């Protein structure tokens, strides 16, 4: 399951309306319950409570969809994919962006800074200057890109690839620089077997923006699947690393691309050892040369991910093949150290 990246902070609000006192009390109670549950990471409880806040506000004439967004976010965090998907879909279809103006003022008697609707705020500012102060307006940031990215993840997790792809393409038309949407697009196209379309798309994107490390990496992954385009894959991974020097996945795949199909190489060597020893020696030297070329990339991979046992084991095998005994022993000790820290099976 793809991890949801939900970066929008939920902020508590205070409410004052010219409504009945019991209606205001219900709203305050629901808002507090929603915030308490969210802060306690009890997302399954917080989600419907935020929707309750929205409905209570709507009954007073305030259609504040930020609480619908909060509800959807909590459903997503609670891994309630159907409910989260419905809410995020409704928000996108309604044109919600999250850009709203908040009107606040300080109640001089209580010392509290409270939120008001614009009409009330304007009225207080004009007629109650002694009782209220610090009149401020603040515009919230857009969450539209987050809506597209999160809903894409929800649809992918639900294995609704066709719906996800349509939404991703719609999102990329609005947010062409979203690395998450590009990544999700690649995942869906690859999962559905549309690798040719994905490669074409990547090349088009790179023609527009040749400094996108993620796209170079994804292109390298596709190119590495075909033995005839291994050199192109190596070049793509190198470009990704040039643009993003700490790109650990690019180093890892670059190592594998340079080494090639090592199982086949070893099998070919073993098949020739007795019948054609000279030919076997040539293959052994060629293999050693490939491992030598892969060494600096493997070292960068291990430096970027020092606790990744796969990186350590790969580097250990490379040092063994290239007869670097000191470094081999160093990685062997590191491997033992990491294995000792792994939980017992």
């Amino acid at each position: 399951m793809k991890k949801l990246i939900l970066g929008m902070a939920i902020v508590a609000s205070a409410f004052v309306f010219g409504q009945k006192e019991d209606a205001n009390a219900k709203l305050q109670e629901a808002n507090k319950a929603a915030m308490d549950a969210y802060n306690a990471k009890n997302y399954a409880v917080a989600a419907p409570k935020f929707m309750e806040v929205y409905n209570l506000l709507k009954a007073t004439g305030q259609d504040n969809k930020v609480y619908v967004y909060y509800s959807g976010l909590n459903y997503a965090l609670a891994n309630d994919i159907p409910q989260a998907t419905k809410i995020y879909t409704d928000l996108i279809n309604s044109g919600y962006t999250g850009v709203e103006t908040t009107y606040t003022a300080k109640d001089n008697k209580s010392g509290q800074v409270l939120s008001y609707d614009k009409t009330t705020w304007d009225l207080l500012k004009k007629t109650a200057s002694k009782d209220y102060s610090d009149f401020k307006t603040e515009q919230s940031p857009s969450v539209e890109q987050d809506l597209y990215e999160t809903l894409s993840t929800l649809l992918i997790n639900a294995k609704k690839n066709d719906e996800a792809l349509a939404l991703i393409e719609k999102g990329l038309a609005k947010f062409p620089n979203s690395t998450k949407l590009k990544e999700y697009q690649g995942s869906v196209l690859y999962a559905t077997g549309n690798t040719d379309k994905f490669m074409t798309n990547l090349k088009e994107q790179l023609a527009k923006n040749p400094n996108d490390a993620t796209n170079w990496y994804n292109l390298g992954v596709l190119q590495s699947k075909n033995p005839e385009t291994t050199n192109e894959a190596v070049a793509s991974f190198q470009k990704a690393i040039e643009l993003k020097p700490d790109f650990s996945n690019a180093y890892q795949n670059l190592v594998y691309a340079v080494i090639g199909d090592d199982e086949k190489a070893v099998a070919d060597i073993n098949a020739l050892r007795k019948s054609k020893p000279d030919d076997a020696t040539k293959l052994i030297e060629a293999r050693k040369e490939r491992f030598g070329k892969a060494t600096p990339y493997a070292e960068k991979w291990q430096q970027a991910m020092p606790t990744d046992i796969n990186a350590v084991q790969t580097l250990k095998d490379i040092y063994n093949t290239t007869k670097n005994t000191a470094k081999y022993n160093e990685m062997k000790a590191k491997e033992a150290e990491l294995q000792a820290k792994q939980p017992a099976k």
Side-chain angles (χ1 to χ4, degrees):
M1 178 176 289
K2 285 193 169 291
K3 183 179 179 182
L4 291 171
I5 308 296
L6 301 169
M8 180 67 180
I10 290 181
V11 182
S13 298
F15 306 93
V16 171
F17 339 69
Q19 302 292 329
K20 292 182 180 180
E21 188 174 332
D22 62 337
N24 191 56
K26 285 181 181 179
L27 180 60
Q28 298 289 358
E29 181 182 351
N31 185 53
K32 183 179 184 304
M35 287 303 306
D36 287 348
Y38 170 74
N39 289 329
K41 298 184 178 181
N42 195 347
Y43 306 121
V45 172
K49 276 295 176 183
F50 278 118
M51 190 61 77
E52 183 181 341
V53 173
Y54 168 74
N55 288 327
L56 287 169
L57 277 170
K58 192 174 182 181
T60 70
Q62 298 184 61
D63 189 8
N64 193 339
K65 284 189 171 61
V66 69
Y67 293 98
V68 179
Y69 172 69
Y70 287 170
S71 178
L73 186 150
N74 276 272
Y75 275 124
L77 289 169
N79 202 32
D80 188 336
I81 294 178
Q83 283 285 2
T85 299
K86 181 181 184 306
I87 289 174
Y88 274 81
T89 301
D90 290 344
L91 285 170
I92 288 175
N93 290 340
S94 72
Y96 176 73
T97 65
V99 177
E100 296 177 356
T101 302
T102 303
Y103 301 88
T104 62
K106 180 180 179 181
D107 184 331
N108 292 331
K109 292 181 181 178
S110 66
Q112 284 187 293
V113 176
L114 304 173
S115 298
Y116 301 91
D117 63 87
K118 187 177 187 306
T119 301
T120 304
W121 186 81
D122 284 336
L123 184 63
L124 290 174
K125 192 173 183 181
K126 290 177 182 178
T127 63
S129 58
K130 293 182 180 180
D131 296 325
Y132 295 88
S133 60
D134 295 338
F135 289 88
K136 295 178 180 178
T137 62
E138 184 176 346
Q139 193 173 68
S140 59
S142 173
V143 298
E144 190 176 13
Q145 182 171 329
D146 170 83
L147 293 176
Y148 278 96
E149 291 172 350
T150 302
L151 182 54
S152 297
T153 308
L154 292 166
L155 292 170
I156 292 171
N157 287 347
K159 301 190 184 303
K160 296 181 178 180
N161 289 327
D162 291 341
E163 290 181 44
L165 188 58
L167 178 77
I168 290 166
E169 290 176 350
K170 181 179 176 183
L172 282 172
K174 286 176 172 280
F175 308 103
N177 295 322
S178 169
T179 56
K180 292 177 188 174
L181 288 177
K182 290 176 188 175
E183 177 190 341
Y184 300 159
Q185 183 186 45
S187 298
V188 175
L189 287 172
Y190 192 75
T192 54
N194 290 321
T195 53
D196 289 343
K197 183 178 179 181
F198 183 32
M199 186 175 288
T200 299
N201 179 270
L202 285 173
K203 290 179 178 179
E204 289 174 354
Q205 292 291 334
L206 286 168
K208 297 175 185 176
N209 179 16
N211 295 322
D212 190 316
T214 300
N215 278 345
W216 280 112
Y217 168 76
N218 286 333
L219 181 60
V221 170
L222 291 181
Q223 291 168 330
S224 67
K225 303 295 181 183
N226 183 353
E228 294 181 3
T229 55
T230 298
N231 290 336
E232 287 89 337
V234 169
S236 294
F237 290 134
Q238 287 175 328
K239 186 65 178 178
I241 291 165
E242 178 186 325
L243 294 166
K244 188 178 178 183
D246 62 347
F247 204 153
S248 58
N249 286 344
Y251 283 116
Q252 178 179 1
N253 281 273
L254 180 54
V255 169
Y256 295 152
V258 172
I259 290 175
D261 189 345
D262 196 50
E263 286 188 11
K264 183 179 183 302
V266 171
D268 290 344
I269 290 168
N270 290 335
L272 294 172
R273 280 186 185 278
K274 292 183 179 180
S275 60
K276 296 181 179 180
D278 290 342
D279 290 344
T281 299
K282 290 178 183 178
L283 293 180
I284 290 170
E285 290 302 316
R287 178 174 181 259
K288 186 177 179 180
E289 183 180 349
R290 290 195 299 273
F291 274 72
K293 288 180 179 178
T295 301
Y297 305 126
E299 290 172 340
K300 288 287 188 180
W301 173 22
Q302 195 272 328
Q303 289 169 14
M305 302 184 73
T307 60
D308 185 339
I309 196 166
N310 290 325
V312 171
Q313 289 172 336
T314 301
L315 190 52
K316 182 195 72 172
D317 292 341
I318 287 174
Y319 286 141
N320 184 47
T321 302
T322 57
K323 309 300 182 183
N324 191 334
T325 305
K327 287 290 187 179
Y328 167 79
N329 290 332
E330 181 184 329
M331 287 301 111
K332 188 176 181 181
K334 183 68 175 176
E335 178 187 26
E337 178 187 333
L338 292 175
Q339 286 175 334
K341 291 179 181 179
Q342 291 185 349
K345 295 183 180 179

